[in-house]
Amino acid sequence: QSIMDGQGRSFSHARKFIEEYISDGLIPATNAINAYKNLALRGYDDSQIQQVMTALKDSAAFGRQNSYTMGEALESATEGLKNENSILVDNAGVTKNVAKMWQEYADSIGVSVNSLSQEQKIAAEVNGILAESRYQTGDAAKAAGTFSGQLMQLSFRFNELKVAVGNAIIPVAQRVLPVINTILAAL
C-alpha cells in the first residue's frame, strides 16, 4: 500500500484509478503501477498522470511497437518521459519527439526551450501527448473487442485466477491446455 510513499504520495490515492484502468484486462497491474510511479517521479500531478496514462493506453492499443505488449509499451513510454528519452515514448505509439513538444510549448508562450521550468516541460509533455493521441481516443476500448484484445483479457483473467486459487489449478490446466493448443494448431 505504501509503494508510492517515497514520492510523498500514497498509492491508495491512485488505487481507484489503477483498478479502473486495468479492469478491461488489457494492461497488467504491475505495468500500470510502474507507469504511475514513473510519471510521479517525473513530477506529474495525479491529474496529469491519469490523463497521460489514458492517452498512452489508447495510443498503445494499435500504435505500439510490435515487440511490446500493451503493458510493456505503456511502462516503457513512461520510463521515456521520466528519463527524457523520446525513443521510449514511441514504444506506445506517440511518435512526436519530446524535445519537439517542449519547443512547440516554448514557442507558444514566447520563451526559449532552455528557459522552460520542470513544470513547463511537464505541461508541454501532457499537452503534446494528448494532442498526438487525440485521434486514438477510445482505441483501447475498441481493442478490447478485437480477437487480440480478447486473448489479452484471457491471459489477464487466467493470471488473476492463478493468483486467486493459488497453484492448485495448474495441474488441471496442464492437462487441458495441450488439448486446447492441439485444437488451435489444427485450425
Side-chain angles (χ1 to χ4, degrees):
Q1 230 187 45
S2 61
I3 292 172
M4 293 178 63
D5 288 344
Q7 289 112 48
R9 301 163 190 250
S10 170
F11 174 63
S12 60
H13 185 72
R15 180 189 303 273
K16 186 173 187 291
F17 169 78
I18 290 175
E19 284 176 356
E20 190 174 308
Y21 188 82
I22 65 171
S23 65
D24 59 12
L26 298 178
I27 294 182
T30 305
N31 295 127
I33 290 166
N34 287 339
Y36 207 105
K37 287 166 59 178
N38 284 335
L39 295 176
L41 284 167
R42 174 79 173 133
Y44 284 49
D45 66 29
D46 290 315
S47 170
Q48 291 169 325
I49 291 171
Q50 293 173 15
Q51 288 179 76
V52 167
M53 283 182 62
T54 300
L56 289 175
K57 182 179 182 183
D58 280 334
S59 178
F62 295 111
R64 70 185 179 277
Q65 297 300 315
N66 287 337
S67 58
Y68 292 97
T69 65
M70 278 186 65
E72 291 165 345
L74 169 77
E75 185 176 340
S76 65
T78 60
E79 282 171 19
L81 289 166
K82 182 182 81 174
N83 299 322
E84 300 187 354
N85 181 337
S86 294
I87 294 167
L88 291 180
V89 180
D90 185 39
N91 288 346
V94 174
T95 56
K96 182 174 275 186
N97 191 296
V98 172
K100 181 79 172 148
M101 293 178 196
W102 298 340
Q103 182 65 58
E104 289 176 359
Y105 186 81
D107 290 346
S108 76
I109 61 172
V111 301
S112 73
V113 173
N114 293 338
S115 67
L116 289 177
S117 67
Q118 178 75 0
E119 290 75 24
Q120 289 171 321
K121 283 183 174 181
I122 289 169
E125 293 161 11
V126 172
N127 292 342
I129 289 168
L130 293 179
E132 281 293 293
S133 63
R134 68 190 179 279
Y135 298 117
Q136 292 139 327
T137 301
D139 275 359
K142 290 178 205 156
T146 66
F147 182 68
S148 172
Q150 295 295 323
L151 289 178
M152 283 190 268
Q153 290 173 344
L154 179 64
S155 171
F156 175 85
R157 299 293 176 220
F158 188 71
N159 281 331
E160 275 189 329
L161 183 63
K162 278 196 307 194
V163 170
V165 298
N167 289 336
I169 189 135
I170 289 176
V172 175
Q174 283 176 326
R175 286 193 294 264
V176 174
L177 287 176
V179 175
I180 293 171
N181 281 330
T182 304
I183 292 167
L184 289 175
L187 293 174

